[in-house]
Amino acid sequence: MGQKWNYQPPTSKQKEEAKRLSEELDISPILCGLLIQRGIKSAAEAKQFFRPKLSNLHDPFLMNDMDVAVERLNKALGRKERILVYGDYDVDGTTAVALVYKFLQQFSLNIDYYIPDRNEDGYGISKRGVDYAHSTGVKLIIVLDCGIKAIEEIAYAKEKGIDFIVCDHHVPDEKMPCAVAILNPKRPDSTYPYPHLSGCGVGFKFMQAFAQDNGIPAEQLYNLLDLVAVSIASDLVPNMGENRILSYHGIKQLNHNASTGLKAIIQVCGLREKEITINDIIFKIGPRINASGRIQQGKVAVDLLIETNLSAALAMSEQINEYNETRKDLDKSMTEEANRIVAELENFDEKRAIVIFNEKWHRGVIGIVASRLTEVYHRPAVVMTCTDEMATGSARSVSGFDVYKAIESCRPLLENFGGHTYAAGFSLLVKNIPEFKKRFEEYVAENIRPEQRDSTIEIEAILDFRDITRKFFNDLKKFSPHGPDNPKPIFCTYGVYDYGTSKVVGRKQEHIKLELVDNKSSNVINGIAFGQSQQARYIKSKQSFDICYTLEDNTYKHGEVQLQIESIHPQKKVTEKKQL
């Protein structure tokens, strides 16, 4: 299928550690090997991993400036100052604003929220937003999921008598804004033990500190963890450490007692009768919340997330669903145009990056198109559009390559930029696009490693079908919720055969429904291979082949395990990494 399979067999030491852990925990040594790969080497750590406890959350006052931030918020509430909660227009920003606004609304009616308009304000804090705050008598702005680079805008607010508390998780520059407090676990001087919080996660820690300082029961805040889980999944931050605790309990909340707004989205997504997973958030819930900021106005998403009337929330969710349908249409047409541009690029096979521009593209969708290009061509991709003389760009990356640093290398050409390792955004003058393209491509060519240029499947363990028992699968499910640093494990089995009943299925006959056996047991295992019908002839030829897959619940046969097959190879093609 054009993908390499990488497997790093365990060392002798890792095998011994897995065996010891297996005896202590009474779970398969194979699964204990997965724990060790995630840095979990003791029974106590494993129990904490499988059953994350809210009591193990870090003390929020370990974060730099937290005491100052809480003191300023207390003062604002005591003086009945007007407070504005300000956030980015994506899922992380809107969930963060909804969380902080909903929590503080219990203690003050003199509170408002603001989500920048993608076209009128641009990304992050704008002078337009500050002017709005000033015109409505705001004295304190709590900004979430942005602000760490808003030096001019926060100075402008200060001139107007407005204080800022910045709650961000993006990488700061050497110079930081003149805010009253800057809560950011990625500060170079950070004293906080966990650096990978989402923007909503930072907002949660601020509210946790505020609650502790004022003797407010933690349960009042924990009721909002469904918003934090949505932010963690959608922003693709690592799902280990503190994020695992937050997402674990947030998904429980989402399934059993979701807030009214999220309950309405769940219903519109067709998920009401289903146990919601991280994948449901990433592919169904998150895109709908995002669609309002991409197509219309991000404030609509916050309006929904804070709504308490289910009928009103359902009507708003239907509207957001329409935005999402519009987004999908734009995504499809723009991706087709982008692929045509790529097909016409000179010497494309020699290029290590993709940089394309179209002045007519919708700026709210360019990030999605960049993601599509990265998935198809497996190279860092930048997609740009413009309004008048100013271009806006979105960058996405491949596994292991820091696209934020690549964008940062072009800093002299940029008006503004920000982001993470795998996703970044920026603006620049249209006249600077050719030079930007040249510098970005040169940086990528010089810094990307050969293995980062290949589409690879990382295999965590080799299984025989006899290993796949109900207990094995039940123990495996305890590894969820998954995400970066804790991916859903992909397994490999060598030398499997068609049981004789595999067949092509799907409206366009594009999938294969499989019944397989291997040569070490008589177990017949069901599987589904989406979009791989071209392999059917080989499978039916009775020859052996190798598969890599994840293990899933069979939705049609309750209680049965099913293989979701990622890739099929006629013969063993696993590239074993060198052991260190």
Side-chain angles (χ1 to χ4, degrees):
M1 302 300 292
Q3 291 179 304
K4 290 186 178 179
W5 300 4
N6 283 337
Y7 170 60
Q8 182 171 332
T11 62
S12 299
K13 183 181 178 183
Q14 286 172 330
K15 286 179 181 177
E16 288 173 13
E17 289 176 334
K19 185 181 177 185
R20 173 185 51 77
L21 206 52
S22 172
E23 290 168 356
E24 292 180 37
L25 297 171
D26 187 31
I27 65 174
S28 164
I30 295 167
L31 297 181
C32 290
L34 302 187
L35 288 172
I36 288 162
Q37 289 176 41
R38 285 154 178 74
I40 297 161
K41 296 183 178 180
S42 71
E45 289 172 335
K47 287 171 183 173
Q48 190 172 320
F49 175 78
F50 287 140
R51 293 188 290 276
K53 293 180 181 177
L54 289 165
S55 58
N56 288 329
L57 290 171
H58 298 305
D59 179 354
F61 285 98
L62 293 173
M63 194 176 291
N64 305 58
D65 284 0
M66 186 63 83
D67 53 344
V68 181
V70 170
E71 182 183 353
R72 180 65 186 90
L73 177 56
N74 285 337
K75 189 181 290 185
L77 292 169
R79 292 174 174 173
K80 294 183 167 48
E81 292 178 349
R82 188 157 179 78
I83 300 169
L84 183 68
V85 185
Y86 191 123
D88 190 20
Y89 38 64
D90 69 358
V91 180
D92 194 12
T94 53
T95 52
V97 168
L99 182 145
V100 172
Y101 179 81
K102 285 176 82 170
F103 193 67
L104 291 183
Q105 199 181 29
Q106 302 170 85
F107 313 106
S108 172
L109 297 176
N110 202 12
I111 185 168
D112 191 9
Y113 58 92
Y114 187 93
I115 301 292
D117 182 282
R118 191 183 287 267
N119 297 311
E120 297 293 327
D121 294 276
Y123 169 76
I125 300 166
S126 67
K127 289 187 176 179
R128 181 173 177 262
V130 172
D131 288 340
Y132 169 82
H134 185 250
S135 70
T136 56
V138 167
K139 293 297 180 184
L140 174 65
I141 296 177
I142 300 169
V143 61
L144 298 137
D145 193 36
C146 57
I148 196 64
K149 294 190 175 185
I151 292 170
E152 288 182 20
E153 292 80 5
I154 291 178
Y156 177 70
K158 192 173 183 179
E159 290 172 8
K160 293 182 174 291
I162 300 172
D163 286 339
F164 259 89
I165 295 172
V166 175
C167 304
D168 205 350
H169 70 136
H170 294 94
V171 179
D173 282 337
E174 288 181 16
K175 184 180 179 183
M176 292 195 289
C178 57
V180 169
I182 295 175
L183 308 179
N184 187 331
K186 289 194 177 77
R187 285 175 56 153
D189 60 343
S190 177
T191 54
Y192 195 68
Y194 188 74
H196 303 301
L197 294 169
S198 65
C200 186
V202 178
F204 172 85
K205 298 304 295 188
F206 182 21
M207 293 301 96
Q208 185 188 14
F210 169 74
Q212 281 183 208
D213 192 63
N214 289 279
I216 300 163
E219 288 69 30
Q220 286 183 230
L221 181 59
Y222 294 162
N223 288 335
L224 300 173
L225 279 174
D226 51 358
L227 292 165
V228 184
V230 169
S231 84
I232 288 170
S234 300
D235 220 50
L236 297 176
V237 290
N239 211 332
M240 289 288 280
E242 193 164 36
N243 278 345
R244 179 170 174 81
I245 301 172
L246 294 169
S247 64
Y248 178 89
H249 289 278
I251 288 174
K252 270 190 175 181
Q253 182 85 17
L254 203 58
N255 276 293
H256 301 295
N257 191 25
S259 62
T260 304
L262 285 171
K263 196 176 291 181
I265 298 175
I266 287 165
Q267 190 164 323
V268 167
C269 291
L271 296 171
R272 190 169 54 174
E273 303 301 324
K274 183 181 180 296
E275 184 178 348
I276 293 160
T277 66
I278 284 280
N279 275 356
D280 293 322
I281 298 172
I282 294 171
F283 296 111
K284 293 185 178 180
I285 297 171
R288 283 168 172 80
I289 296 172
N290 245 339
S292 62
R294 293 186 187 281
I295 303 303
Q296 191 63 33
Q297 229 286 352
K299 185 177 182 295
V300 177
V302 180
D303 294 342
L304 169 59
L305 293 171
I306 66 171
E307 182 56 62
T308 56
N309 180 281
L310 185 57
S311 296
L314 284 168
M316 295 160 87
S317 290
E318 292 290 354
Q319 181 64 69
I320 277 181
N321 201 47
E322 287 181 24
Y323 294 151
N324 193 49
E325 291 303 313
T326 301
R327 187 273 304 168
K328 287 196 281 190
D329 291 341
L330 283 168
D331 172 7
K332 185 174 184 293
S333 61
M334 286 168 57
T335 300
E336 287 171 354
E337 289 176 17
N339 282 321
R340 285 196 291 271
I341 293 171
V342 171
E344 294 171 5
L345 292 175
E346 291 184 16
N347 304 318
F348 178 68
D349 289 343
E350 298 171 14
K351 293 182 181 294
R352 300 291 176 249
I354 297 170
V355 182
I356 58 176
F357 167 74
N358 185 320
E359 62 184 13
K360 295 179 181 178
W361 281 340
H362 192 294
R363 64 192 292 180
V365 186
I366 55 175
I368 299 173
V369 176
S371 293
R372 304 273 185 249
L373 296 177
T374 298
E375 288 166 13
V376 172
Y377 301 104
H378 210 74
R379 302 162 208 220
V382 172
V383 178
M384 292 177 281
T385 188
C386 74
T387 304
D388 299 323
E389 295 302 310
M390 188 62 69
T392 301
S394 239
R396 297 292 185 270
S397 194
V398 295
S399 180
F401 183 78
D402 192 334
V403 77
Y404 176 84
K405 286 185 178 177
I407 297 293
E408 188 179 38
S409 73
C410 306
R411 179 195 288 265
L413 301 169
L414 306 178
E415 300 297 309
N416 196 6
F417 74 100
H420 308 288
T421 301
Y422 295 119
F426 60 92
S427 60
L428 77 169
L429 294 171
V430 171
K431 67 179 183 181
N432 287 334
I433 288 176
E435 181 62 23
F436 169 83
K437 182 175 186 294
K438 178 174 174 289
R439 292 193 193 184
F440 182 85
E441 288 180 344
E442 285 176 353
Y443 180 93
V444 175
E446 290 169 8
N447 291 277
I448 197 164
R449 300 193 305 274
E451 64 270 21
Q452 292 169 343
R453 304 201 301 262
D454 294 321
S455 177
T456 59
I457 294 175
E458 299 293 337
I459 293 165
E460 293 212 48
I462 307 297
L463 298 185
D464 298 330
F465 284 171
R466 64 189 174 194
D467 297 318
I468 306 172
T469 63
R470 190 70 217 181
K471 177 175 172 19
F472 181 92
F473 183 59
N474 288 339
D475 289 337
L476 176 66
K477 287 201 285 188
K478 296 175 187 174
F479 281 73
S480 68
H482 298 289
D485 288 1
N486 180 32
K488 179 167 251 186
I490 296 177
F491 301 105
C492 174
T493 300
Y494 300 144
V496 305
Y497 297 86
D498 174 28
Y499 186 60
T501 48
S502 298
K503 59 184 178 181
V504 174
V505 296
R507 199 179 311 170
K508 298 179 181 178
Q509 300 285 284
E510 67 272 42
H511 315 308
I512 316 174
K513 187 175 184 301
L514 300 132
E515 289 191 329
L516 302 172
V517 292
D518 67 2
N519 55 15
K520 293 187 179 177
S521 72
S522 58
N523 292 5
V524 180
I525 302 280
N526 287 311
I528 183 76
F530 292 112
Q532 299 186 58
S533 58
Q534 70 274 23
Q535 298 277 23
R537 181 176 292 180
Y538 185 89
I539 289 167
K540 299 299 289 182
S541 72
K542 297 293 184 184
Q543 296 183 69
S544 68
F545 51 95
D546 304 332
I547 55 172
C548 64
Y549 52 88
T550 59
L551 291 173
E552 313 290 343
D553 272 306
N554 189 327
T555 53
Y556 297 103
K557 294 183 179 179
H558 183 67
E560 191 172 282
V561 183
Q562 176 176 269
L563 313 181
Q564 184 164 311
I565 295 171
E566 302 291 320
S567 185
I568 298 167
H569 281 325
Q571 53 188 342
K572 190 186 295 186
K573 290 186 178 179
V574 176
T575 303
E576 293 191 357
K577 297 175 182 175
K578 291 181 180 178
Q579 295 181 35
L580 297 177

